[in-house]
Amino acid sequence: MSNLDYELEQERRTLGTPARIAIGCALLVGVPLVLLFAYGVYIAAFQAPEDRFADMLKDKPRLAKLVEPIKRSYPTEYKRLVKKIDDANAMQLSEDELLPFIADFMTGLWSRHRDAMAQAGNPEVLALMKAQGRLAEVATRNPTICRIQFADIDFRRWNLAKDRQAKEAIYGVTMAVANAAAAGREHPTERILPSQSDQMALGRAMQARGLTNPQLAKLRQNPPVESDLEENCRTLNLVMDSVLSLPEAQIQRFGTQQMRQGGS
């Protein structure tokens, strides 16, 4: 045995049990941490944003369901969404934290593809109108939901994990927009806009709910007056309730009009 071998053997024999346990723990814990760090560097440096986005969606099934119609029918918009979330360093956010980002993106997609949206089929149009009705109803008792219908908010300060009603309402509208956008592009349908008799029927329904011209005028103010937000949300809920009280054929025609004008 060489002198070096002899010295190493002596040092090994002098190590007590606690020291040996500590070394074992360092090997068991330290090596995986090093590997995880190396993997993180690899992800950041070499994996494309779309691959990171796809990996992120693997444990977020509801968001994956939202994104799938857009990935399938609007590949350019899908890349835009990936870039939006990647640029915001939001890949590591939770499903609840990411939902507002995707909902905001869907609003922009709607405004960019109104012609396609306006050719969605009856099921998709009705689903979107009902989802908007639910959102408007939630907004009458939820200040945050009320605000997003008329003004911008900081998504990073909004914790949907603590607001189940808001989360479900926003998810419903976002899913309906995604499905309508995809259906309008994949299976375009000839649509009909509301007639004068449809407008009169809606007017009677709104009048029956006590809506007045001054209330409706406030809805059209852009930007809205801050002090009017709460009243505007109550008015919008009554408008949607009026539309959804009509026969389905009329709802479909007003839905087509909504598709042509929405997304702003």
Side-chain angles (χ1 to χ4, degrees), residues 231-246:
E231 181 185 353
N232 281 352
C233 288
R234 289 195 298 268
T235 300
L236 183 58
N237 179 49
L238 289 173
V239 170
M240 291 303 303
D241 186 54
S242 300
V243 174
L244 292 171
S245 73
L246 299 174

Side-chain angles (χ1 to χ4, degrees), residues 41 62 102 120 124 139 158-159 165 173 179 181 189 194 226 236 244:
V41 171
R62 297 191 83 200
I102 296 178
E124 291 80 21
W158 187 14
N159 188 355
Q165 280 192 328
V173 170
N179 286 335
T189 304
E226 182 74 20
L236 183 58
L244 292 171

Side-chain angles (χ1 to χ4, degrees), residues 61 98 116 156-157 175-176 214 237 239 259:
L98 276 170
R156 290 185 178 276
R157 296 183 181 180
M175 189 77 254
N237 179 49
V239 170
M259 297 295 195

Side-chain angles (χ1 to χ4, degrees), residues 123-139:
E124 291 80 21
V125 172
L126 185 61
L128 180 53
M129 294 298 286
K130 287 183 176 180
Q132 287 190 312
R134 285 193 293 272
L135 186 71
E137 193 274 328
V138 170

Side-chain angles (χ1 to χ4, degrees), residues 204-247:
R204 289 192 294 271
M206 293 166 68
Q207 187 177 37
R209 286 161 176 77
L211 287 169
T212 64
N213 283 330
Q215 288 175 305
L216 298 175
K218 288 181 180 180
L219 285 183
R220 294 191 288 269
Q221 289 181 335
N222 190 19
V225 177
E226 182 74 20
S227 59
D228 289 338
L229 284 181
E230 187 175 335
E231 181 185 353
N232 281 352
C233 288
R234 289 195 298 268
T235 300
L236 183 58
N237 179 49
L238 289 173
V239 170
M240 291 303 303
D241 186 54
S242 300
V243 174
L244 292 171
S245 73
L246 299 174

Side-chain angles (χ1 to χ4, degrees), residues 37-124:
F37 176 76
Y39 182 68
V41 171
Y42 163 77
I43 291 295
F46 298 106
Q47 195 176 32
E50 287 189 34
D51 294 331
R52 294 202 303 273
F53 190 70
D55 285 345
M56 179 267 292
L57 289 177
K58 287 178 180 177
D59 63 348
K60 296 177 174 62
R62 297 191 83 200
L63 292 191
K65 187 177 180 180
L66 283 181
V67 170
E68 194 278 329
I70 305 308
K71 183 179 181 180
R72 183 182 71 240
S73 303
Y74 295 84
T76 301
E77 290 287 354
Y78 177 75
K79 291 179 181 178
R80 187 197 293 259
L81 172 60
V82 172
K83 187 176 188 305
K84 174 186 176 73
I85 292 179
D86 192 47
D87 288 350
N89 295 317
M91 292 280 193
Q92 304 304 317
L93 296 181
S94 69
E95 195 165 52
D96 291 338
E97 291 168 323
L98 276 170
L99 176 57
F101 280 88
I102 296 178
D104 180 61
F105 168 82
M106 290 296 183
T107 301
L109 180 140
W110 184 351
S111 68
R112 292 188 290 273
H113 299 279
R114 287 176 177 144
D115 288 344
M117 289 278 289
Q119 296 182 85
N122 283 354
E124 291 80 21

Side-chain angles (χ1 to χ4, degrees), residues 3-53:
N3 289 337
L4 178 58
D5 291 337
Y6 178 78
E7 291 173 3
L8 290 174
E9 177 65 17
Q10 288 294 104
E11 185 173 344
R12 184 187 67 80
R13 290 178 178 177
T14 59
L15 285 173
T17 299
R20 290 174 184 172
I21 292 174
I23 290 172
C25 289
L27 289 174
L28 289 172
V29 177
V31 172
L33 288 177
V34 169
L35 294 176
L36 287 174
F37 176 76
Y39 182 68
V41 171
Y42 163 77
I43 291 295
F46 298 106
Q47 195 176 32
E50 287 189 34
D51 294 331
R52 294 202 303 273
F53 190 70

